[in-house]
Amino acid sequence: MSDFTLSRRSRSDSWITPKGLYEKLDAEFHFDDDPCPIGGHGGLERSWGQVIFLNPPYSDPTPWVRKAYEESRGGKTIVGLLRGDTSTRWFHDWVLPYAELRFIKGRVRFNGRPAPFASIIAIW
């Protein structure tokens, strides 16, 4: 399992990306960066790689999806595993107008348990 599979910062946001889901996406996109791994810092303050896996903190995705959009403007590919909350401002401002969306059937299993919410894949 790559270091890029662990994406969360705080205890309340410790949602480890399921290995199978990450591997399926990595086989398609070939990631070279994960700006917000578990225990990592500074992902918002630095430039990202060329093909990025992003599983941002679900408690505050706005700065991450905004940066995903901004980084994509330079020709980078960002693949985000996001909470499927289509009623939020961050979704309408930074995801819907700019990203390809893939809806995930059923609930993603984080840390061995089904998430209490739907998830989507956004590709900028």
Side-chain angles (χ1 to χ4, degrees):
M1 179 174 359
S2 166
D3 290 341
F4 302 132
T5 61
L6 305 177
S7 295
R8 290 284 62 80
R9 294 185 315 157
S10 71
R11 191 164 67 173
S12 64
D13 281 329
S14 292
W15 299 92
I16 298 172
T17 303
K19 182 179 178 183
L21 176 58
Y22 175 83
E23 288 174 345
K24 182 178 178 182
L25 293 169
D26 188 42
E28 180 178 354
F29 293 99
H30 310 287
F31 300 123
D32 65 12
D33 194 7
D34 178 348
C36 55
I38 291 177
H41 302 289
L44 290 171
E45 290 79 37
R46 68 172 177 83
S47 182
W48 294 354
Q50 288 300 306
V51 185
I52 297 91
F53 175 72
L54 181 69
N55 182 356
Y58 286 19
S59 65
D60 188 19
T62 302
W64 296 95
V65 296
R66 179 185 312 124
K67 183 156 175 87
Y69 162 73
E70 292 166 354
E71 292 276 329
S72 75
R73 302 283 293 162
K76 299 176 182 185
T77 300
I78 296 95
V79 179
L81 173 58
L82 307 173
R83 184 179 183 129
D85 194 348
T86 61
S87 66
T88 60
R89 177 166 287 199
W90 61 261
F91 178 81
H92 285 274
D93 289 350
W94 302 107
V95 180
L96 185 60
Y98 307 112
E100 171 191 332
L101 297 176
R102 296 182 184 176
F103 292 87
I104 297 173
K105 183 177 181 178
R107 300 287 172 104
V108 173
R109 295 183 68 83
F110 291 100
N111 305 332
R113 293 185 306 233
F117 45 78
S119 298
I120 58 173
I121 303 295
I123 305 163
W124 290 267

